Amino acid sequence: MVEVRLENLTKIFGKVVAVDNLNLRIKDGEFVALLGPSGCGKTTTLLMIAGIYKPTKGYIYFDNDVVNDIPPKDRNIGMVFQSYALYPHMSVYDNIAFPLKLKKVPKHEIEKRVREVAKLLRIEELLSRKPAQLSGGQQQRVALARALAKEPQLFLMDEPLSNLDAKLRVYMRAELKRMQKELGITTIYVTHDQVEAMTMADRIAVLNLGKLQQYGTPDELYFKPSNVFVAGFIGSPPMNFVDASIVERDGELYVDAGELKIKLPEDIANVLREQGIKGEVIFGVRPEDIKVGEGEYKGTVYVTEPLGRDVLVHVKINDTILRAFAPVNVKINIGDEIAFNIDLSKTHIFDKKTEKAYI
């Protein structure tokens, strides 16, 4: 297995900076997700680690060795793409065995490895079939088996589940996580799906416009987002953001958003005072941290979205709309006036200009 370090990694295409001075450390045996919207630089980063793209600047280390100039075939990596890239004219067995044949691995060893990975991924009975005779999930397992048969020190995956239907995707998420933990292979996984990243990865690197926004565990990203982008990208439905001001009245600090005025608890107020924070801010609270049906704040039901387990309620307070969850047994109709409470211990306050988190 291997530790991967990226130092000041940069990739420029013409005038476009695809990856901008990226620094990351992926520990031996760790499952790390590169997460972000389209065009954020996550696939470009993966392709540089694979050796398919050469960095414009910076270094890629496998353990203590710089691998910038080592060709892909000599990096001992297994790669799985969004398109499974199976050879249609070959059987499943031959697809899995192909990279081993290229490496001139002895025939008996090829047979042993193919059977082992087929058993691990539960595709033993498919070895004689052609890719066209397989479902999407089965094709995906064959692509994984082909990568695993090489016994790589590093696993690179580029959105491997995006072609599967929703139910199979949930199942394969769990299977991939189990397999990675069982084998202990260092894994870097590219996805734009925050649920996928949160459920599978040990740590997540959130990227936007080529820059690293935050690197941490799923809990750290969810409970302590470093800026507005991370706070809005992690969590479903996303965090509520309200333009507001921090004002002081009679020795108490308030978040003032027009009709919505929130008195801040003393511990949060003290942190803001210590940092000298006053004036315009962005106030953030997650829908799950607003309790509908009782409380000191009032608004009008703008729209409701039944989700089965609960109801997502859009509450309008003048020009501000907050999304909140309500239990299914609470009758709520559009136009109703409704009371709600906010769990102030779980709120976030961001700098209006830089969008970085104060709290």
Side-chain angles (χ1 to χ4, degrees), residues 246 255 264 268 272 281-283 348-350 356-359:
I246 300 293
V255 169
L264 291 170
I268 293 177
L272 294 178
V281 296
I282 297 168
F283 175 74
H348 303 264
I349 295 171
F350 304 92
K356 287 191 172 153
Y358 290 134
I359 287 177

Side-chain angles (χ1 to χ4, degrees), residues 50-66:
I52 295 165
Y53 286 165
K54 203 170 172 57
T56 308
K57 277 195 312 215
Y59 299 96
I60 301 162
Y61 289 86
F62 286 7
D63 290 330
N64 295 314
D65 302 320
V66 176

Side-chain angles (χ1 to χ4, degrees), residues 31-262:
F31 191 129
V32 165
L34 304 181
L35 174 68
S38 295
C40 72
K42 52 193 188 293
T43 297
T44 303
T45 301
L46 197 79
L47 294 175
M48 284 193 280
I49 295 168
I52 295 165
Y53 286 165
K54 203 170 172 57
T56 308
K57 277 195 312 215
Y59 299 96
I60 301 162
Y61 289 86
F62 286 7
D63 290 330
N64 295 314
D65 302 320
V66 176
V67 297
N68 288 35
D69 297 321
I70 295 175
K73 68 182 177 60
D74 298 327
R75 293 196 187 193
N76 193 16
I77 55 170
M79 192 148 184
V80 181
F81 296 94
Q82 182 178 344
S83 63
Y84 309 130
L86 301 176
Y87 299 108
H89 62 288
M90 288 185 187
S91 67
V92 167
Y93 181 98
D94 289 331
N95 264 285
I96 298 169
F98 187 69
L100 302 175
K101 288 176 181 170
L102 285 181
K103 283 173 129 185
K104 302 205 165 30
V105 173
K107 205 169 178 185
H108 69 277
E109 179 65 17
I110 292 175
E111 172 84 20
K112 177 170 159 282
R113 286 205 218 167
V114 171
R115 300 278 169 201
E116 275 175 3
V117 294
K119 189 177 177 192
L120 176 73
L121 289 158
R122 300 203 276 280
I123 52 172
E124 306 109 300
E125 74 286 356
L126 305 178
L127 290 174
S128 59
R129 291 197 199 172
K130 296 274 174 69
Q133 298 168 299
L134 306 178
S135 68
Q138 289 168 334
Q139 287 187 38
Q140 197 248 11
R141 284 164 187 262
V142 175
L144 282 170
R146 182 177 57 193
L148 275 176
K150 291 164 68 178
E151 296 183 346
Q153 62 178 351
L154 177 64
F155 225 172
L156 303 177
M157 301 194 197
D158 190 4
E159 309 221 20
L161 306 183
S162 58
N163 289 342
L164 304 180
D165 65 62
K167 187 178 174 187
L168 189 55
R169 205 157 53 232
V170 171
Y171 174 72
M172 285 308 297
R173 276 206 309 252
E175 285 291 292
L176 269 180
K177 186 175 182 176
R178 180 195 63 80
M179 184 190 78
Q180 194 272 338
K181 287 287 162 265
E182 233 172 65
L183 299 171
I185 298 173
T186 309
T187 300
I188 303 171
Y189 187 101
V190 161
T191 181
H192 64 272
D193 182 335
Q194 56 100 10
V195 175
E196 214 165 84
M198 294 283 280
T199 52
M200 294 171 76
D202 299 316
R203 286 193 291 169
I204 301 168
V206 181
L207 300 169
N208 188 36
L209 302 174
K211 286 184 186 293
L212 181 66
Q213 303 295 311
Q214 191 171 355
Y215 186 37
T217 65
D219 277 359
E220 285 167 350
L221 267 56
Y222 183 83
F223 293 109
K224 287 193 162 42
S226 63
N227 58 33
V228 168
F229 180 81
V230 176
F233 203 80
I234 300 287
S236 180
M239 187 182 285
N240 295 295
F241 296 113
V242 181
D243 287 334
S245 298
I246 300 293
V247 295
E248 188 157 5
R249 270 191 226 110
D250 305 326
E252 304 277 14
L253 279 194
Y254 289 80
V255 169
D256 187 340
E259 282 291 300
L260 185 65
K261 290 179 176 62
I262 301 163

